[in-house]
Amino acid sequence: MEEVKKKDIRALTREQLRDFFESQGDKAFRGNQVYEWLWQKSAHSFDVMTNISKETRDMLEANFVINHIKVDQMQRSSDGTIKNAVRLHDDLVVESVLIPTKSRTTACVSSQVGCSLDCKFCATARLKRMRNLNPDEIYDQVVAIDNESRLYFNRPLSNIVFMGMGEPLMNYNNVLKAIDKITSPEGLGMSPKRITVSTSGVPKLIKRMADEEVKFKLAVSLHSAIDQTRTSIMPFNAKFTLADLREALEYWYQKTKSRITYEYVVWEGINDTKKDIDALVDFCRFAPSKVNLIEYNPIDDGMFQQASNKAVDTYVETLERNGIVVTLRRSRGKDIDAACGQLANKS
């Protein structure tokens, strides 16, 4: 007899779970109980659902599966950073990172297996996109890192950044559903203000987020405010130009009144001249913004080399002189390939 293909139970809404129990001649509130086990308590099996009868748990087992992630390998950096190799139910692997500082722990989570985009300086982009992550797979990464934060740093996870593998806006619906679960009192109850979605810049989806009045923060992986330069390192910029990106960001700011963060790496011979700096200053003027200058993490590629300290200092001085908030971000977890742009399943 052919085996019935079991449904992933976490693809169901609370209402669908309630309806399912009613269709089985049971009480609708059983759906609430199961929903709480799945999301608030992050149950990975039906056996642990102790306030539900054995008979009901067996019935759930016969009909559904909980496609939870497994942390296959955990690496710890000399600076405290933790990298997880996360195995998905279909045996594909993504990576997520816990970044500790004195006052906070941040989860850097992945949204795709591989990436839809083609940034030349990023190891993940070389993998090509294999598939989007489901909302529960994104959620599970956060739960795993929260557990590690409590275990190793004695405090709950404080922040989440979507800066792992993949372009979050190319997995728009699932990323927003995951954030909804993460911020819901029925899920992890985290404040959306502690979540940052980092995008390479997909104008129409930035506008859609603005229309949906999302409460999380937006970061844009910019790296150049000159079209020709940006296209040479981020080829998709030919399709999503800086003018379109700027228009979308202006719309975002009008709608949300939320400051925009720009992620920006300075490379030698690519974007380290006065012309590059002036273009960035000009690009930042239309809305309150912050520039994160990020240290470059090599991916065994001669084309990209970290710019000189002098060039980076000139960026900092010029931005500050023009009233633009700027921070210099030192990379964490380099020794375990856990830093920005290095996630490529080497482990």
Side-chain angles (χ1 to χ4, degrees):
M1 197 175 90
E2 198 185 329
E3 197 186 327
V4 181
K5 189 163 173 14
K6 296 180 185 181
K7 263 184 102 163
D8 177 6
I9 194 164
R10 286 193 294 178
L12 302 184
T13 63
R14 176 196 282 275
E15 286 63 42
Q16 287 169 326
L17 272 173
R18 288 170 61 90
D19 292 346
F20 171 76
F21 276 101
E22 284 192 317
S23 75
Q24 299 291 311
D26 206 334
K27 305 273 193 305
F29 81 86
R30 286 264 175 267
N32 297 350
Q33 288 177 311
V34 172
Y35 191 87
E36 190 176 302
W37 276 108
L38 293 173
W39 296 107
Q40 261 183 331
K41 297 176 182 170
S42 302
H44 282 181
S45 81
F46 297 111
D47 286 343
V48 301
M49 300 181 180
T50 45
N51 59 351
I52 295 166
S53 73
K54 175 81 170 75
E55 187 187 6
T56 304
R57 295 194 312 245
D58 289 344
M59 181 271 292
L60 287 170
E61 189 74 56
N63 285 280
F64 297 107
V65 64
I66 305 173
N67 283 331
H68 61 86
I69 66 163
K70 293 186 188 78
V71 176
D72 240 17
Q73 187 185 16
M74 187 190 90
Q75 290 173 279
R76 296 189 71 181
S77 164
S78 55
D79 65 19
T81 300
I82 291 173
K83 181 170 80 167
N84 292 327
V86 172
R87 188 166 297 278
L88 309 173
H89 68 91
D90 54 4
D91 267 351
L92 291 171
V93 175
V94 294
E95 294 178 341
S96 54
V97 182
L98 186 164
I99 305 155
T101 63
K102 280 195 177 71
S103 58
R104 59 168 66 175
T105 47
T106 299
C108 176
V109 298
S110 293
S111 54
Q112 296 181 311
V113 185
C115 187
S116 296
L117 299 182
D118 49 11
C119 303
K120 291 183 178 177
F121 50 84
C122 178
T124 309
R126 297 177 176 187
L127 300 174
K128 298 303 171 200
R129 187 187 76 86
M130 286 164 252
R131 72 169 173 87
N132 286 334
L133 293 189
N134 297 327
D136 50 276
E137 293 171 324
I138 296 168
Y139 185 89
D140 281 356
Q141 291 175 73
V142 174
V143 171
I145 291 179
D146 182 45
N147 290 338
E148 288 168 350
S149 179
R150 291 168 194 268
L151 179 64
Y152 295 111
F153 301 99
N154 220 12
R155 57 176 185 259
L157 182 66
S158 60
N159 295 76
I160 301 169
V161 293
F162 281 79
M163 292 183 192
M165 299 168 74
E167 164 54 62
L169 297 194
M170 293 295 199
N171 185 15
Y172 187 95
N173 291 334
N174 289 352
V175 165
L176 264 70
K177 279 180 189 164
I179 291 173
D180 191 46
K181 288 281 193 291
I182 290 162
T183 55
S184 161
E186 297 170 345
L188 299 181
M190 276 188 81
S191 164
K193 291 183 172 53
R194 294 177 174 272
I195 298 174
T196 300
V197 171
S198 176
T199 174
S200 294
V202 187
K204 75 173 187 203
L205 294 174
I206 291 171
K207 287 180 174 173
R208 184 173 159 192
M209 283 197 301
D211 284 335
E212 293 183 12
E213 296 179 354
V214 300
K215 298 287 185 276
F216 51 77
K217 294 174 179 167
L218 177 66
V220 177
S221 192
L222 189 65
H223 310 303
S224 177
I226 298 169
D227 264 314
Q228 191 180 353
T229 305
R230 194 168 193 256
T231 302
S232 74
I233 56 174
M234 303 167 84
F236 67 87
N237 184 72
K239 187 175 165 193
F240 304 133
T241 65
L242 283 167
D244 293 341
L245 176 60
R246 182 166 173 157
E247 188 210 347
L249 292 171
E250 282 177 359
Y251 187 79
W252 161 271
Y253 182 71
Q254 283 164 10
K255 283 278 199 180
T256 65
K257 293 292 177 270
S258 174
R259 181 172 79 173
I260 302 153
T261 297
Y262 297 106
E263 309 285 351
Y264 200 100
V265 180
V266 188
W267 290 286
E268 190 178 307
I270 291 176
N271 59 354
D272 59 351
T273 69
K274 183 176 185 303
K275 183 181 163 194
D276 296 296
I277 300 173
D278 291 345
L280 176 61
V281 168
D282 188 51
F283 192 89
C284 288
R285 285 193 201 282
F286 67 87
S289 58
K290 173 187 174 188
V291 176
N292 273 340
L293 291 176
I294 304 168
E295 191 180 353
Y296 180 58
N297 306 298
I299 55 166
D300 314 325
D301 194 325
M303 178 180 170
F304 294 97
Q305 299 297 329
Q306 170 72 30
S308 67
N309 288 341
K310 185 174 179 232
V312 175
D313 289 344
T314 308
Y315 260 98
V316 173
E317 287 157 16
T318 311
L319 288 162
E320 284 180 341
R321 196 168 60 244
N322 283 277
I324 297 160
V325 179
V326 57
T327 59
L328 197 51
R329 247 189 22 212
R330 296 284 171 217
S331 285
R332 306 288 302 273
K334 272 204 232 187
D335 56 332
I336 54 169
D337 287 329
C340 274
Q342 288 186 319
L343 298 187
N345 292 340
K346 277 195 207 169
S347 48

